[in-house]
Amino acid sequence: MPVLVTLQFPEGKQYKAVEKSMAQVTEVLSNTLDEPPTNIRVTVKEVAKNRYSVGGVLRSELEAEDKNEK
């Protein structure tokens, strides 16, 4: 039976890092659930930095504050 999982990352992650994450998640789920890797479906959703918050503050605003402090 297929297993479906979605990973969410802030936009801008490097392609190779996302690809590696997908492969490793597939391996872990395959081993843990005793399913063949071909039954594991991994999707990735990139989230814009102005579409999530950290401690109630938009991530894009935190990034701007970090740049201003330097």
Side-chain angles (χ1 to χ4, degrees):
M1 173 173 275
V3 176
L4 309 171
V5 63
T6 301
L7 304 175
Q8 294 188 50
F9 293 108
E11 64 184 356
K13 293 286 184 193
Q14 291 193 4
Y15 175 82
K16 287 290 186 186
V18 173
E19 183 180 41
K20 183 177 180 180
S21 296
M22 294 172 77
Q24 289 181 346
V25 166
T26 298
E27 183 179 342
V28 167
L29 291 175
S30 176
N31 292 334
T32 304
L33 301 174
D34 196 28
E35 291 282 346
T38 54
N39 280 0
I40 310 297
R41 312 296 197 266
V42 180
T43 60
V44 171
K45 178 180 178 183
E46 286 191 311
V47 181
K49 292 178 182 177
N50 65 350
R51 293 293 182 248
Y52 73 98
S53 65
V54 177
V57 180
L58 285 176
R59 180 64 183 107
S60 57
E61 290 181 21
L62 291 173
E63 193 171 274
E65 288 175 12
D66 288 345
K67 287 180 182 178
N68 289 335
E69 290 179 4
K70 291 182 180 181

